[in-house]
Amino acid sequence: MNEQPLREPTLLILTAIADAPRHGYAIAQEVEKISEGRTKMRTGTLYGALERLLEQELIAVHEEEVVDGRRRRSYALAPPGREVLAAEAARIARTAEEATRRLGLGGLGGHDGLGSAVTA
Protein backbone atom coordinates (compact mmCIF):
# COMPACT_ATOMS: atom_id res chain seq x y z
CA MET A 1 0.00 0.00 0.00
CA ASN A 2 1.24 3.48 -0.86
CA GLU A 3 2.42 5.39 2.21
CA GLN A 4 2.54 8.75 0.39
CA PRO A 5 -0.28 11.21 1.12
CA LEU A 6 -2.90 11.36 -1.61
CA ARG A 7 -2.86 14.36 -3.90
CA GLU A 8 -5.88 16.54 -3.24
CA PRO A 9 -7.72 15.78 -6.52
CA THR A 10 -7.38 12.03 -5.85
CA LEU A 11 -8.55 12.47 -2.26
CA LEU A 12 -11.55 14.48 -3.43
CA ILE A 13 -12.53 12.00 -6.16
CA LEU A 14 -12.31 9.02 -3.82
CA THR A 15 -14.30 10.93 -1.20
CA ALA A 16 -16.93 11.87 -3.78
CA ILE A 17 -17.71 8.22 -4.50
CA ALA A 18 -17.18 6.83 -1.01
CA ASP A 19 -20.88 6.85 -0.13
CA ALA A 20 -22.42 6.04 -3.51
CA PRO A 21 -21.45 5.34 -7.12
CA ARG A 22 -21.53 8.42 -9.35
CA HIS A 23 -21.00 9.28 -13.00
CA GLY A 24 -18.37 11.78 -14.10
CA TYR A 25 -20.48 14.95 -13.98
CA ALA A 26 -21.83 14.06 -10.53
CA ILE A 27 -18.27 13.38 -9.32
CA ALA A 28 -17.18 16.81 -10.55
CA GLN A 29 -20.12 18.40 -8.71
CA GLU A 30 -19.32 16.51 -5.51
CA VAL A 31 -15.63 17.47 -5.71
CA GLU A 32 -16.60 21.12 -5.96
CA LYS A 33 -19.04 20.74 -3.05
CA ILE A 34 -16.60 18.84 -0.81
CA SER A 35 -13.83 21.37 -1.51
CA GLU A 36 -16.21 24.26 -0.83
CA GLY A 37 -15.66 25.53 -4.37
CA ARG A 38 -11.84 25.51 -4.21
CA THR A 39 -11.51 22.68 -6.73
CA LYS A 40 -13.32 22.62 -10.05
CA MET A 41 -12.28 19.66 -12.14
CA ARG A 42 -12.08 20.11 -15.88
CA THR A 43 -13.50 17.23 -17.89
CA GLY A 44 -10.14 16.08 -19.28
CA THR A 45 -8.50 16.21 -15.86
CA LEU A 46 -11.35 14.31 -14.22
CA TYR A 47 -11.50 11.52 -16.80
CA GLY A 48 -7.71 11.21 -16.85
CA ALA A 49 -7.76 10.81 -13.07
CA LEU A 50 -10.61 8.29 -13.25
CA GLU A 51 -8.67 6.21 -15.79
CA ARG A 52 -5.58 6.29 -13.55
CA LEU A 53 -7.64 5.26 -10.51
CA LEU A 54 -9.20 2.43 -12.54
CA GLU A 55 -5.72 1.22 -13.54
CA GLN A 56 -4.64 1.35 -9.88
CA GLU A 57 -7.81 -0.61 -9.00
CA LEU A 58 -8.83 2.02 -6.42
CA ILE A 59 -12.14 2.51 -8.21
CA ALA A 60 -14.28 0.29 -10.44
CA VAL A 61 -16.89 0.85 -13.11
CA HIS A 62 -20.18 0.35 -11.30
CA GLU A 63 -22.46 0.62 -14.30
CA GLU A 64 -22.09 1.43 -17.97
CA GLU A 65 -24.83 2.46 -20.35
CA VAL A 66 -25.20 4.28 -23.64
CA VAL A 67 -27.23 7.49 -23.45
CA ASP A 68 -27.86 9.46 -26.65
CA GLY A 69 -25.12 7.48 -28.36
CA ARG A 70 -22.56 8.27 -25.70
CA ARG A 71 -21.12 5.86 -23.18
CA ARG A 72 -21.94 6.82 -19.64
CA ARG A 73 -20.16 5.13 -16.74
CA SER A 74 -20.72 5.38 -13.06
CA TYR A 75 -17.80 4.72 -10.75
CA ALA A 76 -17.65 3.16 -7.30
CA LEU A 77 -14.94 2.91 -4.70
CA ALA A 78 -13.21 -0.49 -4.91
CA PRO A 79 -12.11 -2.27 -1.69
CA PRO A 80 -8.45 -1.17 -2.10
CA GLY A 81 -9.66 2.40 -2.68
CA ARG A 82 -11.73 2.24 0.49
CA GLU A 83 -8.61 1.13 2.41
CA VAL A 84 -6.48 3.91 0.90
CA LEU A 85 -9.14 6.54 1.60
CA ALA A 86 -9.64 5.33 5.19
CA ALA A 87 -5.88 5.43 5.82
CA GLU A 88 -5.63 8.93 4.35
CA ALA A 89 -8.60 10.16 6.39
CA ALA A 90 -6.97 8.79 9.57
CA ARG A 91 -3.63 10.43 8.64
CA ILE A 92 -5.32 13.79 8.03
CA ALA A 93 -7.29 13.49 11.30
CA ARG A 94 -4.08 12.78 13.26
CA THR A 95 -2.36 15.76 11.68
CA ALA A 96 -5.33 18.04 12.35
CA GLU A 97 -5.54 16.80 15.94
CA GLU A 98 -1.86 17.57 16.49
CA ALA A 99 -2.19 21.01 14.89
CA THR A 100 -5.21 21.71 17.09
CA ARG A 101 -3.32 20.55 20.17
CA ARG A 102 -0.30 22.69 19.39
CA LEU A 103 -2.47 25.72 18.76
CA GLY A 104 -4.22 25.20 22.07
CA LEU A 105 -7.61 24.92 20.41
CA GLY A 106 -8.47 21.52 21.80
CA GLY A 107 -10.20 22.61 24.99
CA LEU A 108 -9.29 23.65 28.51
CA GLY A 109 -5.77 23.28 29.78
CA GLY A 110 -4.18 23.80 26.37
CA HIS A 111 -1.65 26.37 25.35
CA ASP A 112 -1.97 29.17 22.86
CA GLY A 113 1.21 28.18 21.05
CA LEU A 114 3.05 31.13 22.60
CA GLY A 115 3.92 29.38 25.82
CA SER A 116 1.03 30.73 27.85
CA ALA A 117 -1.85 28.66 29.11
CA VAL A 118 -5.25 29.16 27.55
CA THR A 119 -7.87 30.09 30.11
CA ALA A 120 -11.60 29.77 29.83
Side-chain angles (χ1 to χ4, degrees):
M1 189 111 5
N2 187 0
E3 297 297 321
Q4 293 294 319
L6 294 177
R7 293 186 351 226
E8 186 173 29
T10 301
L11 172 65
L12 291 169
I13 290 169
L14 295 179
T15 301
I17 62 173
D19 61 343
R22 290 187 168 80
H23 57 80
Y25 181 72
I27 293 171
Q29 289 180 310
E30 284 296 305
V31 163
E32 189 171 345
K33 181 179 166 186
I34 293 164
S35 70
E36 298 176 332
R38 288 185 325 274
T39 302
K40 295 178 183 174
M41 300 204 79
R42 292 191 171 122
T43 303
T45 302
L46 174 63
Y47 285 99
L50 290 171
E51 286 302 315
R52 181 178 48 79
L53 294 169
L54 281 167
E55 289 171 11
Q56 294 172 342
E57 299 181 347
L58 297 179
I59 67 172
V61 174
H62 174 71
E63 203 172 69
E64 191 168 3
E65 61 185 341
V66 177
V67 178
D68 296 328
R70 298 178 75 186
R71 183 176 67 178
R72 181 175 166 161
R73 288 178 165 180
S74 62
Y75 302 89
L77 200 56
R82 186 166 296 282
E83 290 176 22
V84 167
L85 182 58
E88 183 69 358
R91 184 193 68 77
I92 291 168
R94 286 189 306 273
T95 302
E97 184 178 306
E98 183 63 14
T100 300
R101 184 189 71 76
R102 289 180 183 219
L103 287 168
L105 302 174
L108 297 176
H111 292 276
D112 63 9
L114 303 173
S116 56
V118 176
T119 56

